[in-house]
Amino acid sequence: MDFTIKTMAEYAAEGKMPEVLFFVGCAGSFDDRAKKITKALCKILHKVGVEFAVLGQEESCNGDPAKRAGNEFIFQMMAHTNIEIMNGYGVKKIVTACPHCFNIIKNEYPSLGGNYEVLHHTQFLKKLMEEGRLKIEGGTFKGKKITFHDPCYLGRGNGEYEAPRQLLEKLDAELVEMKRCKTNGLCCGAGGSQIFKEDEPGNKDINIERTEEALSMKPNIIATGCPFCNTMMTDGVKHFNNAEVTVKDIAELLAEAEDL
């Protein structure tokens, strides 16, 4: 990237406040595949002139995996650490590319003293589009077919189905819906800390079931809005040895459309 991303500490040292804090999350910080989603989102925000900052070394895991695995104590320790730092900087608005970060900071941090306006990156990008700041040219996707997999914590968890689809519709591609979508969407199998444990005995892995459904739509691209979903669907596509289909986050598709 040909620009520098500033931290909240750097903004504070200048006596300034960015428009938003980008809460990167563990996947977006450490997972090589998810780092590409982080970079794509940063490139878009930089291009449209959004002043944003990250916490950098001061950011801790949001606590979601610990909480979902049943360790409330560890969750509260992690959450309190993040809240103390964010409140110290006077953070008001947070954007994240992970529905797990989005859900827990939006719905479970307030009771611990963390009250913020929290947006999933598709909601924020849709807002930028409506304000005329983000203009999407989708020419490179002409003739392509895209199917969107709803992340549980964005869709059924928080009722957001339209933002990702409205962005995808701006690309010159055909958006095809799987049979199980929106309120009837099927989990990729990663949520509830399942991604971190061994599979339980059964006839078929959930991500294989879901990928099968996506591939039956004959798409060129399976679009996701969650780093965990991205991993599970990518593994599913590899399972079927399907080299024709790629799995990409919506931020990556928009960055590609903008040639960033």
Side-chain angles (χ1 to χ4, degrees):
M1 289 194 296
D2 57 354
F3 59 94
T4 308
I5 297 166
K6 287 161 75 171
T7 61
M8 285 300 293
E10 287 169 324
Y11 268 100
E14 293 169 10
K16 293 179 185 169
M17 176 65 83
E19 187 178 337
V20 289
L21 165 68
F22 172 26
F23 193 95
V24 183
C26 299
S29 301
F30 302 114
D31 179 80
D32 285 342
R33 175 64 189 88
K35 282 180 195 174
K36 293 178 181 175
I37 301 169
T38 302
K39 285 178 182 172
L41 180 58
C42 290
K43 283 176 182 176
I44 295 169
L45 297 182
H46 176 71
K47 189 195 174 201
V48 301
V50 172
E51 283 210 346
F52 69 99
V54 294
L55 288 171
Q57 299 285 340
E58 293 187 285
E59 183 184 299
S60 303
C61 173
N62 62 61
D64 171 83
K67 187 176 180 75
R68 304 303 164 215
N71 198 327
E72 181 68 23
F73 176 68
I74 295 288
F75 158 66
Q76 292 210 14
M77 274 175 59
M78 289 173 160
H80 278 302
T81 302
N82 282 322
I83 290 166
E84 201 174 312
I85 287 163
M86 293 194 292
N87 286 357
Y89 285 122
V91 169
K92 298 278 186 289
K93 193 171 184 177
I94 297 172
V95 171
T96 177
C98 172
H100 296 257
C101 297
F102 164 69
N103 177 69
I104 210 155
I105 298 173
K106 179 176 186 278
N107 298 317
E108 309 204 30
Y109 274 32
S111 63
L112 301 172
N115 295 286
Y116 320 103
E117 181 191 351
V118 190
L119 297 167
H120 183 253
H121 68 317
T122 58
Q123 294 176 322
F124 189 56
L125 293 171
K126 178 192 155 208
K127 197 163 167 284
L128 292 173
M129 185 177 74
E130 287 169 348
E131 289 168 359
R133 295 167 74 185
L134 172 64
K135 292 173 178 63
I136 302 164
E137 304 291 335
T140 49
F141 293 95
K142 225 174 186 55
K144 298 266 175 80
K145 200 187 267 192
I146 300 176
T147 190
F148 177 64
H149 163 75
D150 286 284
C152 293
Y153 279 121
L154 181 64
R156 286 171 302 156
N158 285 282
E160 181 59 83
Y161 303 104
E162 294 314 312
R165 287 173 171 82
Q166 284 174 13
L167 293 168
L168 289 170
E169 279 162 6
K170 291 289 174 187
L171 303 173
D172 293 337
E174 183 191 351
L175 183 59
V176 289
E177 295 287 4
M178 285 181 257
K179 192 177 172 187
R180 285 180 284 194
C181 65
K182 299 188 180 179
T183 52
N184 191 35
L186 179 69
C187 177
C188 71
S193 283
Q194 295 297 309
I195 196 168
F196 300 113
K197 59 188 272 297
E198 291 301 317
D199 295 333
E200 289 163 27
N203 300 328
K204 191 194 280 186
D205 290 346
I206 295 179
N207 70 311
I208 301 303
E209 169 88 12
R210 187 55 166 164
T211 307
E212 218 167 30
E213 196 171 344
L215 293 176
S216 72
M217 306 308 299
K218 303 276 189 289
N220 302 100
I221 299 160
I222 298 171
T224 61
C226 170
F228 290 160
C229 295
N230 197 299
T231 297
M232 299 302 267
M233 300 303 278
T234 300
D235 286 352
V237 169
K238 282 179 188 162
H239 172 85
F240 290 107
N241 293 318
N242 194 321
E244 325 280 270
V245 178
T246 53
V247 181
K248 291 199 171 170
D249 187 90
I250 290 176
E252 294 179 295
L253 295 174
L254 297 185
E256 216 173 290
E258 296 297 306
D259 200 23
L260 298 176

